[in-house]
Amino acid sequence: MTTKPAAAAARATVYGYPRQGQHRELKKAIEGYWKGRVTADALRATAAELRAATWRQLADAGIDEVPTGDFSYYDHVLDTTVMVGAVPERHRDAVAADPLAGYFAMARGTQDVAPLEMTKWFDTNYHYLVPELSPDTVFAADSAKQVAELKEALALSYTLGTAARPVLVGPVTYLLLAKPAPGAPADFDPLTLLDRLLPVYAEVLADLRAAGAEWVQLDEPALVQDRTPAELNAAARAYRDLGTLSDRPKLLVASYFDRLGEALPVLAKAPVEGLALDFTDAAAANCDALVAVGGLPGKRLVAGVVNGRNIWVNDLTRSLSTLGTLLGLADRVDVAASCSLLHVPLDAAAERDIDPQILRWLAFARQKTAEIVTLTKGLTLGTGAIAVQLAANRADLASRAASPITHDPVVRARTVAVTDADARRSQPYPERAAAQRAHLGLPLLPTTTIGSFPQTAELRTSRADLRAGRIDTAGYEERIKAEIGEVIAFQEKAGLDVLVHGEAERNDMVQYFAEQLTGYLATQHGWVQSYGTRYVRPPILAGDISRPEPMTVRWTTYAQSLTSRPVKGIAYRAGHHARLVLRPRRPTPRRHRPAGRPRPARRGQRP
C-alpha cells in the first residue's frame, strides 16, 4: 500500500505522559515530603524538573505539540477540583492555611478528616478522587497551576521548537464523575450545576489565552458512554457557550476509551475548532461515524490511532490506512495516541531481562511516541518516507504472531478438551465440609489471618543482595526459611487455630505468580500509576498460560513441617491477577457506566 502525502503537514501530539520520572523521582519526593524529609520547595523543584524533562523527551522524539497541565502530584481530577474551587468544606481551612498540605489532605485524609473517595477512572486501573458537590456548591476559578505549567512549557518551546497545549478535564465529564457531597439530597444530580460551572471554565480559558495558549484541550471521555438526551443537551449547551466566548483560545474537545456514539453529532456541530477521537479497537467505528455526520469541515481532527492503553507495538500499516481515510473528513488531521500515555509504563528500552526479540513487540510511552512521529511522517510525506520502519514493524508483528509464547499448542489442546464435568466436584459440599471438620478438628469459630505478613527490612535486603550477587540462591532461601519459622512461632504464641506461612518468598502478589507461569512477561521498570504515589508493575499477558510446576506447595509444606496446627495454602485470586495485567483490551460494552457510589474511603492517611 502506498499512501500519498497529505495536503498539509500533519502534527504529532500526545494527550498526556507518565508523571513519575525514569526512576520514580516524583514518588520519592512526595513521600519524602509527607515524612518531613523533603521541603515543599524541594518537591516543587523536582516536579518542575520532571515536567521539563518530559517536554524535552517529547520534543527530541519529534512531537510537535506537547501537553501541559497533565502533570499532577496526585490526581488530575483533584487538580480540577482545585481549579474550579470545589474544595469540600471539611478541607477548606487546611487548603487556606497551606495549599500543598491541604491538597494532600484531600487526597489522603488526616487522623481527623476523611479524604475524598477514590474510584477507577472509567475501566482503567488508574484511580481518581471523586468530586463532592451539592446544591450549595459555589465555584471559583483558580488557574494558577494551569497557567504556571503553560508558561514553563512556553519558555522551553523557543529552544525545543514545539507548541504547548493545556489539557483540562472537561466540564461535562467533571460533573458526570462527581457525587453528592455529604448532607446533599441523595437524588441530587451534579450536572444541574453546569450553568454555574461554565463561567469558571470561561475564566480559566481566558487566563490561559492571556498566558499564551493557542489551543486548549478539554477532555470529555464520559461522552463515549451512552448518555441520556438531557446529558447530551447539557454537552451541547456547554460547548455552545464555551465556543461562542470572545476571549478564549481555540478549543480541542477530546474523547477516548470507546466510540463517541450519539455525542459525536453534538460535538461535530459545536462551535469549537477541533475534535480528538479514539480510532483503536471498538473506537475504530468513529471513522464510519464521522462519515455519517459529514465529517468535520473547517475543523482540526486529532486522530488517536496508537493504542494508549496496551503495551504492544502498533500495526503501522493499518494505522496509516485509517489516517488516509480520515484525510478527507476534516480541515487537517493530526496524529496522537488514543488517550493519555499515563496508562502505560515509561520506556521498554529500560528492560534488560526480556529477550531482545520479544522486547521488539513492546511499546511503552516512549516507543508509542516514536510510533506517533513515524505515522505523522508517513501521513505528511507518504509511505516511501518510512519504508524502513514499515518493514521492521511488519517483521515484529509477524514474529509475535508466530511465536510459541503467544500460541502454545499443548495449552490449546487442553482447553479444547475441557468439559462441563471439569467444573463440578466429585462430592457435594456437605460431604466435603463434614470430612474437613473431622480431619482438622477445629473449634466452631476457628481463628486465622488473611495470609501475608509484612515484608521486613531484612527480607528486602536479602532480595536486593540476591539480585546484586552478594548472596546465592541457597543463602536467600535460608533467610526465607528463617522468616517463615518466626511467623509460625508468632502465630502459635498468639493462639491462632489455622496458620499461614506469611508469604515471605513473594516479592509482589502478582509478579511472584506471573514469573512462575508461561505466557507472562515480568518487567523490572514497567511501573504504572494506580493512584497517588502507588505504582504497580503489572505482568504482561503475552500468550497462552500454563503452569510448569507447583507454585505454592514447597513453602506451604515447609511451614506445615514446623507445626502440628493446620497451615492453609495462600494462592492469589485469578480474576484479580488478570485484572492487573497489561494486555490487549476487549471492546467495552456499549452501556451507560456512571461513576456511581465509589467505595468508602478509609479514615486516616491513604498511602
Side-chain angles (χ1 to χ4, degrees), residues 16-143:
Y17 207 68
R19 301 159 178 164
Q20 69 267 27
Q22 184 72 41
H23 304 291
R24 291 182 295 158
E25 293 90 341
L26 183 62
K27 169 187 173 69
K28 296 169 186 175
I30 291 173
E31 293 180 350
Y33 168 77
W34 292 342
K35 294 174 181 177
R37 296 199 296 258
V38 174
T39 66
D41 286 343
L43 172 57
R44 294 187 183 100
T46 296
E49 291 169 3
L50 291 172
R51 288 192 294 269
T54 292
W55 294 325
R56 290 190 187 98
Q57 289 170 12
L58 293 172
D60 290 344
I63 293 294
D64 303 300
E65 189 178 43
V66 300
T68 72
D70 61 304
F71 178 89
S72 180
Y73 286 121
Y74 206 95
D75 167 50
H76 55 274
V77 180
L78 177 60
D79 296 341
T80 308
T81 292
V82 174
M83 183 188 81
V84 301
V87 175
E89 183 175 357
R90 65 185 180 278
H91 291 293
R92 289 176 189 168
D93 289 344
V95 172
D98 185 333
L100 185 60
Y103 173 90
F104 287 123
M106 286 190 285
R108 306 173 66 225
T110 65
Q111 292 301 317
D112 302 314
V113 181
L116 291 167
E117 292 183 4
M118 184 170 64
T119 195
K120 287 195 174 186
W121 175 248
F122 298 90
D123 58 351
T124 72
N125 197 47
Y126 178 81
H127 298 68
Y128 74 95
L129 292 162
V130 183
E132 296 177 358
L133 305 176
S134 75
D136 300 326
T137 296
V138 176
F139 297 112
D142 180 359
S143 60

Side-chain angles (χ1 to χ4, degrees), residues 44-53 55-56 66-69 71 73 144-160 162 164 211:
R44 294 187 183 100
T46 296
E49 291 169 3
L50 291 172
R51 288 192 294 269
W55 294 325
R56 290 190 187 98
V66 300
T68 72
F71 178 89
Y73 286 121
K145 173 187 184 296
Q146 291 72 25
V147 167
E149 292 179 12
L150 171 63
K151 289 182 176 179
E152 289 177 19
L154 289 176
L156 277 175
S157 67
Y158 297 110
T159 56
L160 298 179
T162 58

Side-chain angles (χ1 to χ4, degrees), residues 306-484:
V306 172
N307 196 315
R309 299 180 63 177
N310 71 22
I311 42 69
W312 304 112
V313 293
N314 181 265
D315 185 333
L316 297 180
T317 300
R318 179 182 297 178
S319 293
L320 277 175
S321 177
T322 299
L323 291 168
T325 302
L326 296 173
L327 277 178
L329 298 178
D331 186 56
R332 67 170 299 125
V333 177
D334 294 327
V335 186
S338 61
C339 61
S340 171
L341 296 177
L342 171 70
H343 305 293
V344 295
L346 181 59
D347 187 8
E351 301 301 326
R352 296 290 182 265
D353 296 333
I354 297 178
D355 181 277
Q357 178 58 52
I358 297 175
L359 199 61
R360 292 184 61 85
W361 305 346
L362 303 181
F364 294 175
R366 288 192 181 178
Q367 288 72 40
K368 289 181 184 294
T369 301
E371 291 176 338
I372 292 167
V373 172
T374 296
L375 289 167
T376 304
K377 185 177 180 180
L379 185 63
T380 301
L381 302 177
T383 53
I386 58 169
V388 173
Q389 293 94 324
L390 289 175
N393 178 248
R394 285 192 292 269
D396 293 338
L397 294 173
S399 168
R400 181 182 169 211
S403 171
I405 293 175
T406 57
H407 297 85
D408 186 336
V410 175
V411 173
R412 303 215 166 193
R414 290 182 62 192
T415 302
V416 171
V418 171
T419 67
D420 291 341
D422 293 306
R424 294 191 297 269
R425 298 285 189 95
S426 59
Q427 293 177 297
Y429 172 75
E431 293 182 16
R432 301 197 312 272
Q436 182 188 65
R437 285 194 298 271
H439 177 71
L440 296 179
L442 294 173
L444 180 63
L445 295 174
T447 56
T448 188
T449 66
I450 294 298
S452 59
F453 272 60
Q455 293 277 311
T456 63
E458 292 82 359
L459 276 174
R460 297 182 188 278
T461 299
S462 297
R463 200 164 286 133
D465 287 344
L466 177 65
R467 288 195 300 268
R470 290 186 289 269
I471 60 174
D472 59 13
T473 301
Y476 174 67
E477 292 183 349
E478 286 302 314
R479 182 69 196 93
I480 297 296
K481 289 180 178 180
E483 183 68 22
I484 291 174

Side-chain angles (χ1 to χ4, degrees), residues 19 21 109 136 157 179 200 207 245 279-280 302 338 404 412 415 425 461 524 539 551 581:
R19 301 159 178 164
D136 300 326
S157 67
K179 55 167 270 188
V200 173
D207 291 344
L245 293 171
F279 291 97
T280 63
V302 178
S338 61
R412 303 215 166 193
T415 302
R425 298 285 189 95
T461 299
Q524 293 298 314
M551 299 185 290
V581 169

Side-chain angles (χ1 to χ4, degrees), residues 476-557:
Y476 174 67
E477 292 183 349
E478 286 302 314
R479 182 69 196 93
I480 297 296
K481 289 180 178 180
E483 183 68 22
I484 291 174
E486 293 175 15
V487 166
I488 292 294
F490 171 80
Q491 293 172 93
E492 287 184 324
K493 184 177 180 181
L496 294 177
D497 298 304
V498 179
L499 312 187
V500 297
H501 78 287
E503 305 173 41
E505 79 284 3
R506 302 183 187 180
N507 48 5
D508 175 89
M509 290 298 99
V510 177
Q511 182 181 349
Y512 176 78
F513 289 99
E515 288 175 341
Q516 299 185 71
L517 295 169
T518 66
Y520 281 107
L521 303 176
T523 69
Q524 293 298 314
H525 305 284
W527 298 102
V528 181
Q529 186 179 20
S530 179
Y531 64 88
T533 61
R534 170 64 173 166
Y535 288 84
V536 296
R537 285 182 300 169
I540 297 169
L541 178 52
D544 295 334
I545 301 171
S546 64
R547 185 190 63 173
E549 57 187 31
M551 299 185 290
T552 60
V553 172
R554 177 188 178 192
W555 293 114
T556 305
T557 302

